[in-house]
Amino acid sequence: MPPRNLLDLDDLSAEELVALLDRAEAFHRDPSPRRALAGIPVVNLFFEPSTRTQTSFAIAEHRLGAEVVTIDPRESSMVKGESIADTAITLSAMGVGTVVVRHGESGFPYALARSFPGHVVNAGDGTHAHPTQALLDVMTLRQEFGRIAGLRVAIVGDVAHSRVARSNILGLRALGAEIVLVGPRTLLPDAMAQEGVRVERDLDEVLPTVNAVMLLRIQRERLDSALVPSVAAYAAQYQLNARRLERLRDGAVVMHPGPYNRGVELTDDVLAFSGCRYVNQVANGVFARMAVLEALCA
Ligand code: CP
C-alpha cells in the first residue's frame, strides 16, 4: 500500500524508494505516453518561482495522461483571503485528485494534506524538504555507479537553508550512502552531524575522498550578510573551479539541483567538466516525477 502523499522521503521505506527508482528507470528506458492518470485532474500550485520542478511535473502529468491544471496563486481566490483548507475543499469538490505544491513556508504541504482528501506532492517547502529533487538526484547517482550503498557523497554550501540537502540526506542514508556536509559554520552548524553524516569545513581535503559532489545554490540574499561576507570570501573556500576539479578522484561526478550561480558556487569549468551531471539530473526529473505520480494516483 503506497503512502497517500509524498511530503518528504521519510514517507517512504527503503523498499518503496527503490521501487520508485526502478519505475523511474523504466520510464527513462521507454518515455512513451501512458494512461495511468487518464481523466484525473492534477493541479500544480506553485507559490514560489520554479523552472525545473514545475515544468517537469507538467511534462510528467501530461505524459501519464492527466488533466493538467496550473493555478497561479496570485490569480486565485487565496488573494481574497480564502484559506488553504477551504481551497483544498473546493478543489476536491471539482474532482481534483492530486495537488503538487511549492511554498516558501516550511510545512505548508503538510497543512494542505490535512485538508485535502486526495494526494499531495511536495514540490519544495521553505527550507524543509524537496523530495522529488532528492529522488532524481539519487536516480542520477544510481545510474552513474549502479548502487547507492557505500557511496560517499559531499553536499557543499548552504546546507542549513537547503531543502534539497535535507531530503537528499534522508534518501541517501536510507539506501546506505555516507554523507559529508561541507561549508562554513554560518551555513552549516556542527549540529547537522548525525549517524552516517559528517560535517567538514575544508573542501580541498574532502574532494579526493568522495564519489560525488552535490553543490548547493548560495542564495544571493545571504551574500554581504553576516552569513557570507562576500562572493570572494565564499569562493576562496567553497567554490568548485578548475583547480578544485583536479582534486577529484577518477570517476567522481558533480551535481547541482539548479538554478546555479556561475561565478559563485561554481565556475564555467564545472559545467564543462565531463563528470558534470546537471543535465542528467534535469532529464531524470521528468521520469522520477512520473514514477511518484503513478505510484500515488494510479
Ligand atoms: N531544483 C529546483 O527545484 O529548481 P526550480 O526551482 O527551477 O524548480
Side-chain angles (χ1 to χ4, degrees):
M1 181 77 177
R4 186 164 67 86
N5 307 305
L6 183 64
L7 303 175
D8 203 353
L9 288 192
D10 55 4
D11 289 340
L12 303 171
S13 65
E15 292 72 25
E16 287 167 334
L17 193 48
V18 170
L20 278 182
L21 292 168
D22 290 345
R23 192 66 183 134
E25 281 303 336
F27 288 132
H28 182 233
R29 284 191 299 275
D30 174 10
S32 56
R34 318 289 170 119
R35 302 292 298 157
L37 270 63
I40 298 178
V42 177
V43 162
N44 296 315
L45 184 60
F46 279 62
F47 292 83
E48 275 191 340
S50 167
T51 298
R52 281 145 286 266
T53 311
Q54 183 160 220
T55 309
S56 58
F57 263 114
I59 293 170
E61 291 153 8
H62 281 290
R63 203 165 287 171
L64 291 171
E67 294 173 9
V68 182
V69 181
T70 300
I71 296 179
D72 179 347
R74 294 166 306 182
E75 303 288 329
S76 79
S77 287
M78 283 180 274
V79 297
K80 294 184 262 183
E82 188 166 44
S83 69
I84 189 62
D86 290 333
T87 303
I89 292 167
T90 304
L91 294 177
S92 176
M94 283 183 255
V96 171
T98 300
V99 177
V100 177
V101 63
R102 168 172 289 192
H103 200 282
E105 191 182 311
S106 297
F108 187 91
Y110 293 76
L112 174 60
R114 284 194 287 276
S115 310
F116 184 66
H119 309 285
V120 176
V121 183
N122 183 1
D125 65 320
T127 59
H128 174 250
H130 197 346
T132 58
Q133 176 69 45
L135 190 65
L136 73 90
D137 291 338
V138 175
M139 178 182 178
T140 305
L141 282 169
R142 203 176 70 148
Q143 285 171 343
E144 190 69 31
F145 298 102
R147 65 189 165 89
I148 299 299
L151 293 182
R152 185 180 287 188
V153 180
I155 304 179
V156 183
D158 188 1
V159 183
H161 303 97
S162 173
R163 57 196 179 201
V164 173
R166 254 175 258 285
S167 290
N168 262 295
I169 290 169
L170 290 177
L172 289 168
R173 280 189 68 207
L175 298 184
E178 186 186 335
I179 297 150
V180 187
L181 306 177
V182 191
R185 279 193 170 75
T186 50
L187 302 177
L188 172 58
D190 288 330
M192 293 198 77
Q194 54 183 295
E195 192 186 335
V197 182
R198 281 189 8 232
V199 169
E200 297 288 347
R201 305 292 170 198
D202 189 332
L203 179 59
D204 287 309
E205 278 188 9
V206 168
L207 287 175
T209 72
V210 295
N211 302 99
V213 181
M214 280 186 193
L215 300 171
L216 300 175
R217 183 167 69 93
I218 291 299
Q219 294 163 38
R220 290 188 185 276
E221 59 271 27
R222 302 195 198 291
L223 295 170
D224 298 322
S225 73
L227 297 181
V228 184
S230 67
V231 171
Y234 183 82
Q237 287 192 285
Y238 296 109
Q239 181 187 71
L240 196 58
N241 52 30
R243 180 184 69 76
R244 289 200 167 107
L245 286 175
E246 296 282 326
R247 298 186 64 77
L248 287 171
R249 60 164 78 159
D250 284 349
V253 297
V254 177
M255 299 165 64
H256 195 303
Y260 43 73
N261 295 302
R262 293 177 191 258
V264 183
E265 69 268 15
L266 52 72
T267 62
D268 291 356
D269 305 288
V270 176
L271 297 165
F273 170 53
S274 61
C276 180
R277 294 291 174 267
Y278 167 73
V279 171
N280 307 60
Q281 289 173 267
V282 176
N284 285 335
V286 172
F287 309 121
R289 288 168 178 131
M290 286 176 75
V292 167
L293 290 165
E294 182 193 62
L296 293 181
C297 315

